[in-house]
Amino acid sequence: MPRVARAESSSGSRVIAHIDMDCFYVQVEQRKQPTLRGHPTAVVQYNSWKGGGLIAVGYEARKYGVKRSMRGDEAKKVCPDIQLVQVPVARGKADLSVYRNAGSEVVSILARRGRCERASIDEVYLDLSEAAETMLAESPPERLESISEEALKSHVLGLHMDGVSTKDCVKEWFLMSNVHRRDKLLACGALIVAEIRLEVLNETEFTCSAGIAHNKMLAKLASGMNKPAQQTIVPFSSVEKLLEPLPIKKMKQLGGKLGTSLLADLGVDTVGGLLQFSEEKLQECYGINTGTWLWNIARGICGEEVESRLLPKSHGSGKTFPGRQALKTVYSVQKWLNELCEELYERLLCDLEQNKRIAHTLTLHASAYKLNDMESLKKFPSKSCPLRYGIAKIQEDSLNLFNAGLREFTSICSAKIKGSKQHEWAITGLSVSASKIVVIPSGTHSIMKYFHNQGQTCIPIKEPDGISTQNAASLSSSGNGCCVSLHLPGPEINTCENEAKTNLDMPCLNPYEDEIEVCKARFDFMFVNVLIYKDAFHMEKFTDNQDPFLSRMIQEEDRLTEKLLLSSSSGAENGLGSKLTQSHMDSHGPVLKSENQKRKFDKQKGTPSILRFFQSHNSSSFPEQDHVSTFQENEASSSGLQAINGSPGRKSTCSLVEDEFRSNAWNYKSDEIDPVVLNELPPEIQAEVRAWLQPQKRANTVKKGSSIIHYFSPTANS
Ligand code: DCP
């Protein structure tokens, strides 16, 4: 394919934006302390040596020549009025959580308009292709009453001014009709980005700059071209001119060794310089993939997709120990590793709690040098291992990783300084990171998808004629839908109160029926999800007393159970047919089975708990041994779970729930459960769930290495 055609077809009609927050840390600090606004400001590292190192410099300070490489004292010399703000400190090191949270705030706004990839603490890629296509079809720029002021301030690369004012030129560019469709899409993308940037400003007070182009590489290049608070558009026709003079080192991934070797091997110092080499030649020099990649980037071709990712790919905690602060004993390393691990673990738990994500890999990086061998600097090998949850485990594992790295490092260095008796080392930087972060499996398998896709549970509602109808969609369209999205452990449990209230007006025999059904569906879910959860954590790895996710899950169930009880009692009070309510409940498993149980439950209303609720069931109605065998395969993991609690008398919520399943059984029959839920699962899993749900009839089919455990295991879906 000819070069230009290849470039065109690769970019197609994609519209990609790269959004970069302006002097981010400074803006965050200025929002905290509004008196800093308008003043030259910089954020400095927490150490006070020579006024601390500058890590972010505001644009007012940049006008005076203040640069990020300077120390506070130096900055004061060139800009005496500069306000130096210290980065917050926790555990003796920089605490970046305030910046991270501010970044998340912005991301949540940016993600409203298209696929959004959080690329770093303060930058985001957006795929606006769909939004631009829609705009072009429904309200193209030339049909708009006016082009927004913010959009008119755009920089359009390659635009000929011809003596006309920039604004008029840009306006003309937005309104042009006889141009290629891809440019029109870009114009739509730019209008959308201008709107989004204003939204960010209005909602967060932060300014950001943006690049709008046909691919990620060009968008990223463009976003840094006009800062702060501006946007730059790269029409296809201006790509060559943009890249030709661009210093090779400015290109993403060419700032390091590869960029240096391009200059050394091929004498190339600008991107345009690469154009003279054939793809084959570049492949010959740098290998097939890198050769092709170089050939492509010289022509502005980049097929990299914008990933849908609002959350970070990894978490890390690190600290440098420059100069005399270098660590020289394993004891001091261990002390700092413990601190770093604590911070890391806090973030892991937060991620688990908020996003239901778990990390799989723990990595230790260190920079070190051997005394008398400065060449050894930074050659400390990074080490990884599977990540085990539990602060003590992470601390222990990172120390082991460090020791493994140190052994390798010292032997490498010993070989280099043969003959020397010097074996001392010093650590100048330490970091621990958690990567391979995945949403716990239930979020991705079909049973969850079922609820996701429905958006609302299909809750059977009995019509006055007694015919059981259902369908969330029809309920919804009639305005009577009880919108429930389930989130155990995936998406938010979101009982739409207003809609639920509307249901009270429905001519139902039992106005609380749908709520009961919601509870029922959710109990089903809890059952499946506890199993998934256990499996996701491999049980024995779940070594903490804290199980925030499960406790949230239980709290949620408590809330619903309470609601259910209140519903049933108020139903009786207001004469809406308590008998019917009761009879309905009687037919629905764990919902109150008898007056007796109801009374027991009523007593506990102050602190209702699903666990107590299950405890209140008469377990003798279910043959114990059936349940024991049902859960036999989990025995090892279950004991692991109990062991984690330290004291024998105390059990984690997870093990309590498991015990409830084990001893009190799940008072469901498979035919009482919405068959759609089960039918979504593969046949062998359906059979197994049904067997669990109706243990007394269960054939002894559950084998070791059960299929359901495999199915819900983190790797099963990959
Ligand atoms: N940062 C840091 N240490 C560095 C570089 C950056 O701690 N060596 C922090 C401070 C910055 C933030 O990351 O505010 C984002 O870095 P950028 O490189 O995007 O720079 P700024 O956002 O500060 O400025 P600009 O407007 O030039 O993007």
Side-chain angles (χ1 to χ4, degrees):
M1 196 188 287
R3 282 174 182 181
V4 175
R6 189 159 142 188
E8 279 197 62
S9 75
S10 91
S11 37
S13 52
R14 289 197 306 154
V15 178
I16 310 295
H18 179 260
I19 319 267
D20 188 9
M21 306 306 296
D22 303 313
C23 53
F24 189 47
Y25 286 17
V26 173
Q27 287 205 75
V28 174
E29 293 301 334
Q30 286 176 334
R31 187 172 70 166
K32 272 203 288 185
Q33 292 182 60
T35 51
L36 293 174
R37 281 190 202 284
H39 287 285
T41 308
V43 176
V44 292
Q45 282 282 19
Y46 52 93
N47 69 53
S48 57
W49 185 68
K50 289 192 177 178
L54 270 54
I55 54 170
V57 180
Y59 282 87
E60 292 86 357
R62 291 187 202 189
K63 286 180 205 154
Y64 293 84
V66 179
K67 294 198 169 65
R68 189 185 272 159
S69 53
M70 291 178 173
R71 301 208 69 89
D73 292 351
E74 217 178 334
K76 284 242 180 222
K77 271 186 202 150
V78 294
C79 177
D81 287 341
I82 195 165
Q83 305 282 325
L84 298 174
V85 187
Q86 244 208 10
V87 146
V89 178
R91 298 193 176 90
K93 59 182 285 301
D95 176 11
L96 306 182
S97 48
V98 63
Y99 309 119
R100 253 184 239 117
N101 295 342
S104 304
E105 238 181 279
V106 175
V107 168
S108 66
I109 297 168
L110 296 176
R112 291 173 192 161
R113 303 298 279 270
R115 196 177 335 133
C116 177
E117 176 182 330
R118 188 173 188 174
S120 78
I121 198 163
D122 76 333
E123 47 176 340
V124 159
Y125 288 101
L126 288 179
D127 188 334
L128 296 171
S129 310
E130 251 183 70
E133 288 278 2
T134 309
M135 184 180 212
L136 190 59
E138 291 169 5
S139 51
E142 63 269 24
R143 279 207 254 134
L144 294 176
E145 270 179 25
S146 64
I147 302 293
S148 77
E149 278 300 307
E150 195 54 47
L152 290 179
K153 286 193 263 165
S154 302
H155 300 260
V156 185
L157 295 186
L159 197 62
H160 296 293
M161 299 299 174
D162 290 338
V164 192
S165 88
T166 315
K167 219 174 182 181
D168 289 342
C169 260
V170 173
K171 187 171 182 181
E172 210 173 286
W173 183 83
F174 272 108
L175 298 178
M176 66 203 163
S177 52
N178 58 341
V179 288
H180 198 287
R181 192 168 185 277
R182 62 173 176 246
D183 281 337
K184 286 185 167 185
L185 283 170
L186 221 48
C188 292
L191 288 170
I192 296 168
V193 170
E195 267 173 39
I196 297 176
R197 288 181 36 245
L198 280 180
E199 276 170 37
V200 170
L201 181 64
N202 292 335
E203 293 179 40
T204 67
E205 303 175 27
F206 297 140
T207 66
C208 55
S209 299
I212 302 113
H214 290 300
N215 65 46
K216 281 172 89 172
M217 175 187 78
L218 296 169
K220 161 112 183 152
L221 266 180
S223 69
M225 294 178 81
N226 295 288
K227 274 187 147 250
Q230 295 170 76
Q231 61 182 50
T232 306
I233 304 163
V234 190
F236 182 79
S237 55
S238 62
V239 172
E240 208 175 317
K241 269 206 179 127
L242 164 70
L243 293 179
E244 207 171 358
L246 195 77
I248 210 104
K249 292 262 180 182
K250 293 245 171 190
M251 249 0 226
K252 199 178 155 199
Q253 293 172 38
L254 289 181
K257 280 184 197 163
L258 183 56
T260 308
S261 71
L262 282 172
L263 182 62
D265 304 342
L266 304 176
V268 167
D269 60 355
T270 61
V271 177
L274 282 171
L275 289 170
Q276 59 189 295
F277 300 101
S278 68
E279 190 172 354
E280 292 72 29
K281 172 72 184 166
L282 293 170
Q283 287 178 337
E284 205 178 282
C285 296
Y286 298 102
I288 293 192
N289 291 343
T290 308
T292 298
W293 179 76
L294 286 168
W295 191 92
N296 281 334
I297 59 137
R299 289 155 186 83
I301 302 171
C302 164
E304 206 186 311
E305 287 288 332
V306 173
E307 287 171 37
S308 180
R309 176 161 47 77
L310 307 185
L311 301 168
K313 260 181 168 172
S314 61
H315 296 295
S317 174
K319 181 171 165 66
T320 54
F321 307 95
R324 285 195 197 162
Q325 294 171 35
L327 309 177
K328 293 177 181 161
T329 63
V330 173
Y331 176 77
S332 59
V333 167
Q334 182 177 11
K335 180 184 156 289
W336 276 108
L337 275 180
N338 286 349
E339 296 284 349
L340 299 178
C341 288
E342 262 181 37
E343 191 202 344
L344 179 69
Y345 194 56
E346 235 171 53
R347 286 170 60 198
L348 285 172
L349 288 183
C350 193
D351 203 344
L352 174 63
E353 163 98 11
Q354 290 175 358
N355 313 310
K356 317 285 175 282
R357 299 198 310 164
I358 49 171
H360 285 284
T361 304
L362 175 71
T363 304
L364 177 123
H365 299 282
S367 49
Y369 64 87
K370 282 277 293 183
L371 301 179
N372 300 333
D373 181 15
M374 291 311 282
E375 260 184 65
S376 62
L377 195 64
K378 291 186 181 160
K379 286 185 183 157
F380 195 98
S382 296
K383 295 278 171 194
S384 297
C385 69
L387 191 149
R388 301 187 298 158
Y389 274 70
I391 181 65
K393 296 282 175 197
I394 290 188
Q395 287 171 336
E396 181 190 334
D397 290 347
S398 34
L399 184 62
N400 287 337
L401 292 177
F402 173 79
N403 283 328
L406 185 65
R407 275 194 296 276
E408 226 171 272
F409 177 72
T410 48
S411 64
I412 290 168
C413 294
S414 302
K416 277 187 113 186
I417 51 168
K418 229 176 176 178
S420 162
K421 285 188 180 158
Q422 179 60 269
H423 287 291
E424 284 176 44
W425 45 267
I427 299 295
T428 54
L430 269 180
S431 80
V432 281
S433 62
S435 58
K436 293 206 180 138
I437 304 181
V438 293
V439 173
I440 48 182
S442 52
T444 54
H445 62 68
S446 62
I447 197 162
M448 286 306 291
K449 255 192 259 157
Y450 165 72
F451 283 101
H452 263 307
N453 294 344
Q454 298 294 306
Q456 299 167 315
T457 25
C458 293
I459 299 157
I461 300 285
K462 284 205 177 95
E463 298 288 356
D465 60 4
I467 297 166
S468 185
T469 59
Q470 63 144 299
N471 200 319
S474 61
L475 288 172
S476 185
S477 59
S478 69
N480 286 327
C482 178
C483 166
V484 180
S485 61
L486 291 159
H487 114 140
L488 296 176
E492 192 69 43
I493 296 178
N494 181 11
T495 306
C496 300
E497 300 287 346
N498 291 340
E499 289 181 275
K501 272 190 197 113
T502 321
N503 273 338
L504 296 177
D505 303 331
M506 285 186 75
C508 277
L509 289 179
N510 170 13
Y512 307 104
E513 201 157 35
D514 46 343
E515 290 228 0
I516 293 163
E517 290 294 344
V518 173
C519 290
K520 178 174 162 290
R522 293 171 69 169
F523 288 150
D524 296 343
F525 244 71
M526 189 175 165
F527 171 71
V528 174
N529 280 293
V530 166
L531 296 168
I532 296 162
Y533 186 66
K534 279 171 32 178
D535 198 47
F537 277 83
H538 307 299
M539 298 300 288
E540 70 283 3
K541 288 188 182 173
F542 192 72
T543 53
D544 251 358
N545 287 337
Q546 309 169 50
D547 41 1
F549 163 63
L550 252 180
S551 44
R552 244 184 81 184
M553 189 160 97
I554 300 295
Q555 272 168 18
E556 196 54 40
E557 293 306 322
D558 281 347
R559 201 179 58 75
L560 253 184
T561 310
E562 188 173 26
K563 209 167 174 189
L564 173 69
L565 283 168
L566 290 173
S567 299
S568 65
S569 55
S570 63
E573 274 158 31
N574 64 21
L576 284 168
S578 60
K579 209 168 170 206
L580 271 168
T581 308
Q582 188 58 52
S583 81
H584 177 89
M585 285 177 157
D586 283 347
S587 67
H588 284 88
V591 179
L592 307 180
K593 286 284 284 184
S594 67
E595 266 320 308
N596 220 2
Q597 282 173 341
K598 184 175 176 296
R599 268 196 301 276
K600 248 192 208 173
F601 215 81
D602 281 346
K603 272 192 211 156
Q604 297 168 343
K605 240 196 270 180
T607 52
S609 147
I610 191 168
L611 295 181
R612 278 194 300 277
F613 176 68
F614 290 134
Q615 274 156 2
S616 75
H617 273 261
N618 182 358
S619 59
S620 63
S621 55
F622 300 96
E624 183 84 29
Q625 71 268 34
D626 277 330
H627 309 307
V628 172
S629 62
T630 302
F631 286 97
Q632 223 156 27
E633 65 195 14
N634 290 329
E635 207 110 79
S637 44
S638 136
S639 55
L641 190 85
Q642 287 163 20
I644 66 177
N645 294 292
S647 62
R650 206 171 146 239
K651 288 186 173 194
S652 77
T653 326
C654 193
S655 83
L656 281 172
V657 172
E658 185 194 18
D659 283 359
E660 289 306 325
F661 289 136
R662 196 191 289 262
S663 62
N664 290 336
W666 197 247
N667 191 3
Y668 268 84
K669 295 193 172 80
S670 57
D671 56 359
E672 288 175 342
I673 288 174
D674 188 343
V676 188
V677 176
L678 282 181
N679 292 344
E680 277 286 310
L681 299 165
E684 74 276 20
I685 308 302
Q686 287 181 34
E688 207 167 325
V689 171
R690 285 199 172 97
W692 280 355
L693 293 171
Q694 204 165 15
Q696 60 272 50
K697 288 188 188 165
R698 193 180 132 264
N700 192 17
T701 51
V702 181
K703 298 180 213 86
K704 258 199 158 18
S706 157
S707 52
I708 193 164
I709 295 299
H710 169 75
Y711 177 71
F712 289 126
S713 83
T715 50
N717 292 332
S718 56

